[in-house]
Structures are given as structure tokens and as C-alpha cells.
Amino acid sequence: MKVLIVYAHPEPRSLNGALRDFAVTHLRDSGHEVMVSDLYAMGWKAALDGDDFLNRDASAPLKVELASKYAFANNAQSADIAAEQKKLLAADAVILQFPLWWFTMPAILKGWVERVYAYGFGYGVGEHSERRWGDRYGEGTFKGKRAMLIVTAGGWAEHYAERGINGRIDDLLFPINHGVLHYPGFDVLPSFVIYRTGRMDEARYLRTRAELGERLDTLWTAQPIPYRMQNGGDYHIPSMQLKSELGIGRQGLDIHLDERRSG
Ligand code: FAD
């Protein structure tokens, strides 16, 4: 299998750097092919702007979606974007690895998503009608591929638990897991989160590495988060409202978990 790790940390001698190196070695030793997009090392341009679209009439106002759609369809995207799209298409599984910064991914990784997920690739895929609202949320370019987050956080697990002040980690990561990954079709595995990174000693680090190794070993077999399919009949189209008989007894973002698959 081919795995793409998109890695966002500025320091290779960090905890993230060590875990990234471990993941690459572990996957390769298990016979997988591993591609790494090390965004800081690549000098990844984080900000989406008109330079992303080649041959664009710079005197005209930039309409990002239209420019993206045209550039993607006409082989007129900047080379760094096209190269990342090629890696995504080649991968059977994609891992996004990052430290939690201000409750979400670092800006450089957000910029990778914004630039690489072109119109016609990450969004704007499939039939848009009264019957279907595109191929998204369980369908799309990445259908059949798996994805998982590896996230480190300074805060304690309790701070991110059900009643923790930071909000539940599943809620904070929902825009990434459900939005960035499930939306364009990935099967999303539960995130591997390492809390309280300031209290990492050698013994804990070795335990963390072993746990990560187990998660990597089950990348192909673990049950994905049971997010609902948009076009599976659970939502009214085009209002995209969850049907009233579903999600009973659930609250907040959990209503988007399919009870038939999650119990
Ligand atoms: P490092 O700082 O490199 O290391 C952490 C610990 O692991 C250190 O004790 C180090 O000695 C040890 N370690 C490193 N490598 C090894 C190794 N090879 N073997 C054994 N031990 C090792 N946290 C939150 O919870 N929520 C937030 O919203 C949040 N926002 C932040 C915003 C910013 C801008 C910043 C800078 C930090 C923020 N943090 C937040 C904290 C952040 O999530 C953590 O600092 C980060 O996840 C730690 O990962 P690291 O790779 O940088 O760890």
C-alpha cells in the first residue's frame, strides 16, 4: 500500500519529528511505500492567491473558485499544487500529522488544503441537482482511500474530554475529519492524539511510539468513524438537514454519526 504523510512542524528534532521518522520507518518495514510532504522543509507556500493559477489575466478580479476550476481542468495550476495532487491520487492512505496550534492545524497545513484541494478535485465534484448535491461527504475524489490524523497537544486529555474546558477533541477535530477528509471521500479513522506533550519522558515516548505502531498496523482494517453519507438517504436534499427520525438522543456534531454503524 502507499501512504502519504503530510507533516507540518518546523523542527525535525521535535516530538513530532521523532514520531514522523518512526512512522515512516515502521510503515516501510511493514512493506508499505511511504511518501512524505514535509511542508516546512519544502518551503510550502501557505497562502492561496492568484499566482496559483498560471496564464491568468491578472488585470481581472480574482474569482478563486472559477480560477481554480479552470486551472485544474486545463493543466494550468502551479507545479507545487499539481505535485501534491498527484501524491494524493497515488496514495491508498493519507496521514496528516501536526501539533495542535490554537485548537486546529498549523496555518501551513491549512494552506496546503486550501491550495491542493482544487475545484473539481477536492470540491465541486459530481452532479449537483435537486437529487444529488455533488459527490461529497463519503463520496468524491478520495473514495476508497483511508485517512487519519496524528496530533500532539500541550493540554491534558481531561481538558479535551466530554466536560473539559477546551471542548471535546472530536468536536475540535470535526472540521478536519468530517470537513477536510470525509467531505472529499476519505474513510476517516479515529485520530491518534498525544496529550500533555510537556510531560513526555523516555518511557512515555516509547509507549507512545508502540501505540502509534499498532495504529499504523491497523490502518487498513480499523473501523472508520461512522460519519453519514450525504447521498445515502439520511439528509433531505437540497436543504441538507438530517431527517428528523435520525440522530435521536444525540447532541451536537454527534448527530452526523450513523447509529446503524456506531450503535
Ligand atoms: P516538542 O516540544 O518537540 O516535545 C515535547 C516533549 O517531548 C518535550 O518534553 C521533549 O523533550 C519530548 N521529546 C521530544 N522528542 C523526543 C524523543 N525523541 N524522545 C523522547 N522525548 C521526546 N496545545 C493545546 O493543547 N492546544 C492549543 O490550542 C495549542 N496551541 C498552541 C499554539 C502554538 C502557536 C504553539 C507553539 C503551541 C500550542 N499548543 C497548544 C501546544 C502544542 O500543541 C505542543 O507544544 C505541541 O503539540 C508539542 O509537540 P512538539 O512536536 O512541538 O513537541
Side-chain angles (χ1 to χ4, degrees), residues 9 14-16 18 99-103 152-155 160 197-198 200 202 205:
H9 196 290
S14 59
L15 177 61
N16 270 276
L100 197 67
W101 280 0
W102 288 108
F103 303 96
T152 60
Y160 292 98
T197 51
M200 184 65 68
E202 197 57 26
Y205 172 73

Coordinates of all heavy atoms in Angstrom, one line a residue, residues 9 14-16 18 99-103 152-155 160 197-198 200 202 205, ligand 1:
H9 N 5.5 20.5 10.9 CA 6.2 21.0 12.1 C 7.5 21.6 11.7 O 8.2 21.0 10.8 CB 6.4 19.9 13.1 CG 6.8 20.4 14.5 ND1 8.0 21.0 14.8 CD2 6.1 20.3 15.7 CE1 8.0 21.3 16.1 NE2 6.9 20.9 16.6
S14 N 11.9 17.7 16.9 CA 10.8 17.8 17.9 C 10.2 16.4 18.1 O 10.5 15.4 17.5 CB 9.7 18.7 17.2 OG 9.3 18.1 16.0
L15 N 9.2 16.4 19.0 CA 8.4 15.2 19.3 C 7.8 14.7 18.0 O 7.8 13.6 17.6 CB 7.4 15.4 20.4 CG 6.4 14.3 20.7 CD1 7.2 13.1 21.2 CD2 5.4 14.8 21.7
N16 N 7.2 15.7 17.3 CA 6.5 15.4 16.0 C 7.5 14.8 15.0 O 7.2 13.9 14.3 CB 5.9 16.6 15.4 CG 4.4 16.8 15.9 OD1 3.5 16.2 15.3 ND2 4.2 17.5 17.0
A18 N 10.3 13.2 15.7 CA 10.7 11.8 16.1 C 9.5 10.8 15.7 O 9.8 9.7 15.2 CB 10.9 11.8 17.6
P99 N 1.1 19.5 15.2 CA 0.8 19.9 16.6 C -0.4 20.7 16.6 O -0.7 21.5 15.7 CB 2.1 20.7 17.0 CG 2.5 21.3 15.7 CD 2.2 20.3 14.6
L100 N -1.2 20.5 17.6 CA -2.5 21.4 17.7 C -2.0 22.8 18.1 O -1.4 23.0 19.1 CB -3.4 20.8 18.9 CG -4.8 21.2 18.8 CD1 -5.5 20.7 17.6 CD2 -5.5 20.8 20.1
W101 N -2.3 23.7 17.2 CA -2.0 25.1 17.4 C -3.2 25.9 17.4 O -3.9 25.9 16.3 CB -1.0 25.6 16.3 CG 0.5 25.2 16.5 CD1 1.0 24.5 17.6 CD2 1.6 25.5 15.7 NE1 2.3 24.3 17.4 CE2 2.7 25.0 16.3 CE3 1.7 26.2 14.5 CZ2 4.0 25.1 15.7 CZ3 3.0 26.3 13.9 CH2 4.1 25.8 14.5
W102 N -3.5 26.5 18.5 CA -4.8 27.3 18.6 C -6.0 26.5 18.1 O -6.7 26.9 17.3 CB -4.7 28.7 17.9 CG -3.8 29.6 18.6 CD1 -2.5 30.0 18.3 CD2 -4.1 30.1 19.9 NE1 -2.0 30.7 19.4 CE2 -2.9 30.8 20.3 CE3 -5.2 30.0 20.8 CZ2 -2.9 31.5 21.6 CZ3 -5.1 30.7 22.0 CH2 -4.0 31.4 22.4
F103 N -6.0 25.3 18.7 CA -7.2 24.4 18.6 C -7.4 23.8 17.2 O -8.4 23.2 16.9 CB -8.5 25.1 19.1 CG -8.3 25.6 20.5 CD1 -7.9 26.9 20.7 CD2 -8.5 24.7 21.5 CE1 -7.7 27.3 22.1 CE2 -8.3 25.2 22.8 CZ -7.9 26.5 23.1
T152 N -0.5 16.2 18.2 CA 0.1 16.3 19.5 C -0.5 17.6 20.1 O -0.8 18.6 19.4 CB 1.6 16.5 19.5 OG1 1.9 17.7 18.7 CG2 2.3 15.3 18.9
A153 N -0.8 17.6 21.5 CA -1.4 18.7 22.1 C -0.7 18.9 23.5 O -0.4 18.0 24.2 CB -2.9 18.4 22.3
G154 N -0.6 20.2 23.8 CA 0.0 20.5 25.1 C -1.0 20.3 26.3 O -0.6 19.9 27.4
G155 N -2.3 20.4 26.0 CA -3.3 20.3 27.0 C -3.5 18.8 27.4 O -3.0 17.9 26.7
Y160 N -9.8 18.0 27.2 CA -10.5 17.8 25.9 C -11.5 16.7 26.0 O -12.0 16.2 25.0 CB -9.4 17.3 24.8 CG -8.5 18.5 24.5 CD1 -7.2 18.5 25.0 CD2 -8.8 19.4 23.5 CE1 -6.3 19.6 24.7 CE2 -8.0 20.5 23.2 CZ -6.7 20.5 23.8 OH -5.9 21.5 23.5
T197 N 2.0 17.1 26.1 CA 3.3 16.8 25.5 C 4.5 17.3 26.3 O 5.6 16.8 26.3 CB 3.4 17.4 24.1 OG1 3.0 18.8 24.2 CG2 2.5 16.7 23.1
G198 N 4.2 18.3 27.2 CA 5.2 18.8 28.1 C 5.7 17.8 29.1 O 6.7 18.0 29.7
M200 N 6.5 14.6 28.5 CA 6.9 13.4 27.8 C 8.3 13.0 28.3 O 9.2 13.8 28.2 CB 7.0 13.8 26.3 CG 7.3 12.6 25.4 SD 6.1 11.3 25.3 CE 4.7 12.0 24.5
E202 N 11.2 9.5 28.5 CA 11.6 8.5 27.6 C 10.7 7.3 27.6 O 10.3 6.7 26.6 CB 13.1 8.0 27.9 CG 13.8 7.2 26.9 CD 13.9 7.9 25.5 OE1 13.9 9.2 25.4 OE2 13.9 7.2 24.5
Y205 N 7.5 8.2 25.9 CA 7.7 8.3 24.5 C 7.7 6.9 23.9 O 7.1 6.7 22.8 CB 9.0 9.0 24.2 CG 9.4 9.0 22.8 CD1 8.8 9.8 21.9 CD2 10.5 8.1 22.3 CE1 9.1 9.7 20.5 CE2 10.8 8.1 21.0 CZ 10.1 8.9 20.1 OH 10.4 8.8 18.8
Ligands
FAD1 P1 8.3 19.1 21.5 O1 8.2 20.5 22.2 O2 9.4 18.9 20.5 O3 8.5 18.0 22.6 C1 7.5 17.8 23.6 C2 8.1 16.9 24.7 O4 8.5 15.7 24.1 C3 9.4 17.5 25.3 O5 9.4 17.2 26.7 C4 10.5 16.8 24.6 O6 11.7 16.6 25.5 C5 9.9 15.4 24.4 N1 10.5 14.7 23.3 C6 10.7 15.3 22.0 N2 11.3 14.4 21.2 C7 11.5 13.3 22.0 C8 12.1 12.0 21.7 N3 12.6 11.7 20.5 N4 12.1 11.1 22.7 C9 11.6 11.4 23.9 N5 11.0 12.6 24.2 C10 11.0 13.5 23.3 N6 -1.7 23.0 22.9 C11 -3.0 22.7 23.0 O7 -3.3 21.7 23.7 N7 -4.0 23.4 22.4 C12 -3.7 24.5 21.6 O8 -4.6 25.1 21.1 C13 -2.3 24.8 21.5 N8 -2.0 25.9 20.7 C14 -0.6 26.2 20.5 C15 -0.3 27.2 19.7 C16 1.0 27.5 19.4 C17 1.4 28.6 18.4 C18 2.0 26.7 20.0 C19 3.5 27.0 19.7 C20 1.7 25.7 20.8 C21 0.4 25.4 21.1 N9 0.0 24.3 21.9 C22 -1.3 24.0 22.1 C23 1.0 23.4 22.4 C24 1.4 22.4 21.3 O9 0.3 21.6 20.9 C25 2.5 21.5 21.7 O10 3.6 22.3 22.1 C26 3.0 20.5 20.7 O11 1.9 19.7 20.3 C27 4.2 19.7 21.1 O12 4.7 19.0 20.0 P2 6.2 19.2 19.6 O13 6.5 18.2 18.5 O14 6.4 20.6 19.3 O15 6.9 18.8 20.9

